[in-house]
Amino acid sequence: MSETKTDTPKKLFIKTYGCQMNVYDSERMAESLEGYVQTDRPEDADMILLNTCHIREKAAEKVYSELGRMKPLKELNPNLKIGVAGCVAQAEGAEIMRRQPAVDLVVGPQSYHRLPQMEAQVRAGRSALDTDFPEEDKFAHLKGRSKARRAPAAFLTVQEGCDKFCAFCVVPYTRGAEVSRPADRVVREARDLVERGVREVTLLGQNVNAYHGGMTLAELIRALAKVDGLERIRYTTSHPNDMDDDLIAAHADTDKLMPYLHLPVQSGSDRILKRMNRSHTAESYLRLIERIREVRPDIMMSGDFIVGFPEETEADFQATLDLVEAVNYGYAYSFKYSTRPGTPAAERPQVDAAEADERLQRLQALITRQQRAIQESMVGRDLSVLVEKAGRNAGQMLGKSEYLHAVHIDNAKAQIGDVVPVRITRAMTNSLTAVEI
Ligand code: 5AD
Ligand code: SF4
């Protein structure tokens, strides 16, 4: 039985948690595992990989409940191997196997180029653990990306890790120090993606605007703008202190760079920003946005906020609401502070949980109001849409505007991968409707 099976591809189920970089890493892991095809049914899989997130406690705990659900599948399929990748793997290492013995393999985000050897090891009946930060660059050792056709919008990691050490954040520990990929390799990967049907790339990095792979991020964006067939460029996530003049200028001089900027500030209170080790103030953040809006008045701003950071008072929180009012965000993501073991803020006096919940609700209500108003202001406007897939209703196509709004095009003639001008006809809660013009 096992002999006849050797030529049939084994099945891989990957579940991705957390940020866009994990989405990118999952794609690369799947491509590196030769002899596997992907399945979306864990019960059919010969290998289950959970690519995990450690940013907040809830995200990390989800992994253990999912592992508990996956474990009985091993009784149905004795060939099934279970692996944990990503930031929980990095942070907890061998502890994962102790807590859940059904786990065969644990691989951190900087060593997953070694996954094929690790897979062979677990097939040979030995467990495999690798949470190194190896000297070698994983991207240089990963198998080239496959030639299979891709969806029109893709992620492309250009920078990883963080040297900022915000007092609440695990990223500098799980993803390590800031490292940038060489620009020529990034451009080559973008060309490959374009050959496979990609029209838009989002350059990813935990601190993407600190990119220094032989050129700055602004220079990299301009180099990518010269790639024929690549129509749109985005980048995320940026730190306010790394937003240099040239990157701001690129928003004015590079048409392919989309008018959207994710620029987390975390809090509007200088007292809290200082305790967060953010090394900027609310005022400097607002001034920065003013400068960006001078060259690109329509830029759609996006942000991240943490409420209930240790020692946050009602007055501090009010300052956050004031900042949100002042910026007017198209998108904003707000989180209740989550204590992360090993980070400096974990040692500080915590805010009452009910108080933090209440603040989160107030902030989210304000953000939702802003988002709705901006979305409604799009009605009647002419935008451009990259068509990504067929919509739910007949004749409808679904894509993204330059501002990242999801747009349904009614009676569409446009095909997947086209960038088409549209007029917005209606604003719904999470998307816009449009007709081609
Ligand atoms: N608790 C809550 N939110 C956090 N973030 C990072 N660390 C924590 C934490 N300990 C949020 C920040 C960051 C986003 C990715 O996650 O807002 O920008
Ligand atoms: Fe975390 Fe701060 Fe680095 Fe962002 S800049 S990854 S929030 S430490």
Side-chain angles (χ1 to χ4, degrees):
M1 172 78 187
S2 61
E3 247 119 74
T4 53
K5 263 192 113 182
T6 42
D7 285 329
T8 46
K10 294 191 282 292
K11 293 205 170 106
L12 170 68
F13 171 81
I14 299 196
K15 182 160 178 170
T16 306
Y17 299 82
C19 65
Q20 295 154 325
M21 195 172 287
N22 269 7
V23 175
Y24 176 86
D25 288 342
S26 291
E27 284 167 10
R28 300 300 306 254
M29 283 190 254
E31 286 174 356
S32 79
L33 281 173
E34 272 180 53
Y36 280 84
V37 292
Q38 270 183 269
T39 174
D40 49 13
R41 290 165 45 93
E43 56 277 24
D44 293 345
D46 301 293
M47 166 76 84
I48 289 176
L49 273 182
L50 303 185
N51 192 11
T52 61
C53 172
H54 202 244
I55 198 96
R56 283 168 289 273
E57 191 182 359
K58 237 194 233 156
E61 280 308 311
K62 264 192 217 156
V63 174
Y64 287 102
S65 37
E66 188 68 28
L67 287 171
R69 279 194 294 277
M70 299 292 182
K71 184 182 168 195
L73 297 177
K74 280 196 148 180
E75 282 155 34
L76 301 174
N77 176 7
N79 290 323
L80 172 63
K81 303 293 176 194
I82 299 181
V84 177
C87 293
V88 175
Q90 190 62 45
E92 299 189 5
E95 176 61 23
I96 299 175
M97 288 166 166
R98 273 195 288 277
R99 227 176 122 176
Q100 180 47 272
V103 173
D104 303 283
L105 179 159
V106 172
V107 63
Q110 300 312 343
S111 47
Y112 68 73
H113 54 296
R114 297 172 178 167
L115 198 53
Q117 294 92 296
M118 296 173 77
E119 191 269 349
Q121 190 172 325
V122 297
R123 288 280 159 223
R126 281 171 292 135
S127 63
L129 168 78
D130 192 335
T131 52
D132 276 1
F133 286 97
E135 280 293 307
E136 79 264 18
D137 164 18
K138 70 171 175 251
F139 294 114
H141 286 75
L142 278 166
K143 212 167 74 67
R145 301 193 71 155
S146 85
K147 295 290 163 214
R149 197 86 191 147
R150 294 279 309 244
F155 296 128
L156 204 178
T157 293
V158 302
Q159 180 276 335
E160 260 188 277
C162 182
D163 298 337
K164 297 278 192 293
F165 290 92
C166 295
F168 49 81
C169 187
V170 288
V171 166
Y173 312 95
T174 55
R175 289 272 172 176
E178 262 179 42
V179 178
S180 297
R181 293 178 67 191
D184 56 340
R185 294 224 202 109
V186 172
V187 173
R188 208 180 313 145
E189 188 169 332
R191 283 212 185 92
D192 284 349
L193 288 169
V194 167
E195 270 173 33
R196 295 168 59 191
V198 168
R199 295 289 165 262
E200 171 179 308
V201 291
T202 300
L203 307 177
L204 298 181
Q206 266 95 28
N207 253 302
V208 72
N209 56 347
Y211 177 82
H212 51 82
M215 45 174 93
T216 64
L217 184 64
E219 288 162 353
L220 176 66
I221 288 168
R222 293 194 187 100
L224 288 169
K226 294 200 186 102
V227 173
D228 275 344
L230 183 62
E231 313 260 359
R232 291 174 153 194
I233 302 164
R234 305 180 189 275
Y235 61 94
T236 197
T237 285
S238 296
H239 192 285
N241 292 358
D242 292 315
M243 218 48 227
D244 63 34
D245 290 346
D246 197 31
L247 186 53
I248 295 175
H251 276 283
D253 64 37
T254 307
D255 290 346
K256 290 184 181 179
L257 181 57
M258 293 295 104
Y260 170 93
L261 179 61
H262 184 62
L263 196 64
V265 62
Q266 314 297 355
S267 169
S269 154
D270 289 343
R271 207 178 70 92
I272 293 298
L273 287 170
K274 196 158 190 177
R275 283 170 164 73
M276 286 178 164
N277 191 31
R278 288 288 298 180
S279 40
H280 61 75
T281 62
E283 185 54 35
S284 67
Y285 178 81
L286 289 173
R287 262 209 319 275
L288 173 61
I289 293 180
E290 251 170 49
R291 280 170 50 219
I292 299 164
R293 283 182 169 153
E294 265 165 34
V295 303
R296 194 69 221 219
D298 62 333
I299 198 147
M300 190 65 68
M301 290 306 305
S302 164
D304 288 344
F305 295 89
I306 295 178
V307 302
F309 183 80
E311 299 167 276
E312 184 189 70
T313 62
E314 176 59 27
D316 293 318
F317 175 65
Q318 192 57 52
T320 297
L321 295 179
D322 292 346
L323 180 140
V324 172
E325 290 279 11
V327 172
N328 197 22
Y329 287 96
Y331 307 85
Y333 306 89
S334 47
F335 311 99
K336 189 167 87 163
Y337 170 71
S338 168
T339 309
R340 307 313 289 128
T343 58
E347 312 296 324
R348 309 293 305 165
Q350 307 290 310
V351 168
D352 175 69
E355 183 83 36
D357 277 329
E358 195 259 344
R359 286 180 196 164
L360 184 63
Q361 278 176 27
R362 280 156 67 200
L363 177 58
Q364 286 182 339
L366 171 60
I367 288 168
T368 305
R369 264 205 312 283
Q370 284 191 344
Q371 285 177 339
R372 290 234 173 100
I374 290 183
Q375 196 138 318
E376 271 153 28
S377 76
M378 294 288 159
V379 176
R381 282 187 57 183
D382 295 347
L383 305 181
S384 87
V385 169
L386 169 63
V387 179
E388 293 181 22
K389 57 183 174 190
R392 240 173 294 142
N393 302 339
Q396 223 178 35
M397 296 299 260
L398 182 59
K400 297 265 165 49
S401 76
E402 55 271 61
Y403 303 112
L404 211 59
H405 283 124
V407 181
H408 296 271
I409 308 174
D410 285 330
N411 305 316
K413 286 192 217 60
Q415 303 294 307
I416 291 171
D418 291 348
V419 177
V420 289
V422 301
R423 180 155 304 152
I424 304 300
T425 51
R426 208 148 59 92
M428 278 124 16
T429 315
N430 294 311
S431 65
L432 302 170
T433 304
V435 290
E436 279 169 62
I437 49 176

